[in-house]
Amino acid sequence: MRLIDLRSDTVTRPTPEMREAMARAEVGDDVYLEDPTVNRLQERAAEIFQKEAALFVPSGTMGNQICVKVHTRPGQEVIVEEKSHIYNFEMAAMAVISGTLPRVVRGRDGIPDWPTIEAALSPNVYYRAPTGLICLENTHNLAGGTILPPETAHEICARAHERGLPVHLDGARLFNAAVACGRSVAELARPFDSVMVCLSKGLGAPVGSLILGSRAFIEEARVVRKMLGGGMRQVGVLAAAGLIALEKMPARLAEDHENARVLARGLAELPGLALDPEKVHTNIVIVDIAGTGWTAPEFVERLKAHGVLVGSLGPTAIRLVTHYDVSREDCLTALRVLREVLREAREHSRRSEDHMGTTPGS
């Protein structure tokens, strides 16, 4: 049975062109700054994002945490949105690695505004941990792939800079945001002091992320990368796939977004499922399944038995993510499976109720 894997866009496999490029990649020792393919990737990324420099790192989590470390000093607070990846899925790394404390704020669909952030800034008194950094996310994973409006980003960055505060962007899916709102990644990244972007999600590379910023920032980031064990050797075999991801794969993200909308519209019609299809703008669909009577893990297992893989988020929510390895036909098949699983569940429930109704003494 072929599985339709909608758990995440991290499950994508490298394209045939990527595999060929990896096989013939020119390599050197990147710790000595001598891997020509890595150097090309970093230079090209800096051009595309219109930043002074870029650094190739093994993962998005490492990229985010390097940026936190460079921007802050121990004993400071970092303002993060309550559902952000950096807060929920990076294992308290900012505390362990940087000695910083997250200060959580609530955003609307994952997007905080400046007044909310301003209210969370530490007062200038010696017995409070001072605010050292603000982190935003675009697109916002746990909020369902929502897009940080450029105007909001510019306002937050401008007000933060007036107070001498840097702002970091977790842009793991920034290319998805750019395609969905018709802006360039350079425009979306411009107001931020540092940006992390993943090559291994919707762009399809097997490994790797990039961090971007000023030349001085990236030089410091290179030191922290080595400290964390991220100094890699003949890594041009991975950078070669990253170059193709960077140059060629963004153009096809609109297909993933449309497939996600197809899924969202179909799911909204099914009994027991709750979501607003109008809020699906990129490749992530989050569905409340409380109305089915199942928990999210139970629902996930039922779908898996029928060849469809989805992820669970909390007790009654599931996540479906479209990507390069999921076609329109796969999405339609997944909807048919969901419809059948829900129909079988309703029939089972009716049979159980009928049986209870004929029990003696009932």
Side-chain angles (χ1 to χ4, degrees):
M1 177 174 61
R2 176 180 175 273
L3 296 175
I4 298 172
D5 198 341
L6 292 160
R7 290 173 298 172
S8 177
D9 45 9
T10 60
V11 303
T12 53
R13 293 160 294 182
T15 66
E17 185 178 6
M18 287 179 186
R19 292 177 186 270
E20 182 182 346
M22 293 167 74
R24 55 180 172 79
E26 186 180 3
V27 300
D29 191 320
D30 185 51
V31 172
Y32 291 121
L33 312 182
E34 293 175 355
D35 191 302
T37 310
V38 173
N39 292 340
R40 254 194 323 275
L41 171 63
Q42 292 170 163
E43 290 162 6
R44 184 64 184 124
E47 290 174 1
I48 290 172
F49 282 83
Q50 296 177 15
K51 296 290 189 184
E52 288 182 1
L55 184 67
F56 186 50
V57 297
S59 72
T61 293
M62 181 183 283
N64 279 336
Q65 295 305 322
I66 288 171
C67 292
V68 172
K69 178 71 172 174
V70 175
H71 281 305
T72 64
R73 57 181 174 80
Q76 291 185 325
E77 289 186 342
V78 178
I79 293 180
V80 295
E81 202 276 331
E82 66 177 355
K83 291 184 178 179
S84 63
H85 188 282
I86 203 167
Y87 178 63
N88 287 279
F89 295 129
E90 299 189 12
M91 302 175 66
M94 69 171 66
V96 176
I97 296 167
S98 300
T100 56
L101 177 72
R103 172 66 66 180
V104 177
V105 299
R106 176 168 295 180
R108 182 177 181 182
D109 293 328
I111 301 166
D113 55 21
W114 173 249
T116 301
I117 291 173
E118 184 178 34
L121 298 177
S122 288
N124 188 24
V125 292
Y126 76 92
Y127 51 82
R128 284 286 300 273
T131 304
L133 176 66
I134 298 167
C135 293
L136 302 177
E137 186 173 331
N138 194 18
T139 63
H140 196 297
N141 178 5
L142 287 183
T146 54
I147 299 163
L148 175 65
E151 301 75 19
T152 301
H154 277 275
E155 181 186 13
I156 291 172
C157 290
R159 300 289 81 79
H161 292 157
E162 289 172 0
R163 294 172 179 249
L165 291 172
V167 188
H168 169 66
L169 178 65
D170 176 353
R173 296 180 175 89
L174 192 60
F175 278 98
N176 290 88
V179 168
C181 68
R183 310 285 185 98
S184 70
V185 288
E187 182 179 352
L188 298 186
R190 186 166 298 129
F192 293 92
D193 299 279
S194 60
V195 178
M196 185 282 293
V197 61
C198 283
L199 302 173
S200 59
K201 291 187 169 69
L203 302 186
V207 176
S209 294
L210 291 156
I211 55 178
L212 303 106
S214 69
R215 200 169 305 281
F217 180 88
I218 293 300
E219 286 307 309
E220 288 190 62
R222 191 186 310 279
V223 174
V224 179
R225 184 186 71 174
K226 187 69 170 72
M227 185 190 305
L228 297 178
M232 300 174 284
R233 302 299 179 173
Q234 289 73 33
V235 76
V237 292
L238 298 178
L243 272 165
I244 293 169
L246 196 65
E247 298 272 15
K248 298 188 177 182
M249 298 300 279
R252 59 153 309 281
L253 291 176
E255 179 183 342
D256 293 343
H257 299 172
E258 182 52 38
N259 283 342
R261 286 189 287 270
V262 167
L263 275 175
R265 289 191 292 266
L267 291 167
E269 297 174 354
L270 299 181
L273 306 185
L275 75 157
D276 182 357
E278 297 304 314
K279 288 189 173 183
V280 176
H281 299 294
T282 56
N283 67 322
I284 298 175
V285 183
I286 294 178
V287 187
D288 186 335
I289 64 152
T292 66
W294 293 325
T295 66
E298 288 170 342
F299 197 66
V300 167
E301 285 303 310
R302 288 175 182 271
L303 292 179
K304 182 179 180 180
H306 289 75
V308 175
L309 303 181
V310 301
S312 63
L313 294 176
T316 62
I318 63 168
R319 186 185 73 158
L320 302 88
V321 185
T322 54
H323 52 79
Y324 172 73
D325 286 340
V326 172
S327 67
R328 175 66 58 81
E329 184 56 39
D330 288 334
C331 292
L332 296 175
T333 299
L335 284 171
R336 287 196 293 272
V337 168
L338 277 150
R339 191 176 296 112
E340 181 62 21
V341 166
L342 290 168
R343 185 186 64 78
E344 290 175 358
R346 290 196 305 276
E347 289 180 354
H348 176 75
S349 177
R350 281 197 296 270
R351 285 196 297 269
S352 297
E353 290 172 0
D354 292 343
H355 176 72
M356 291 292 291
T358 57
T359 301
S362 63

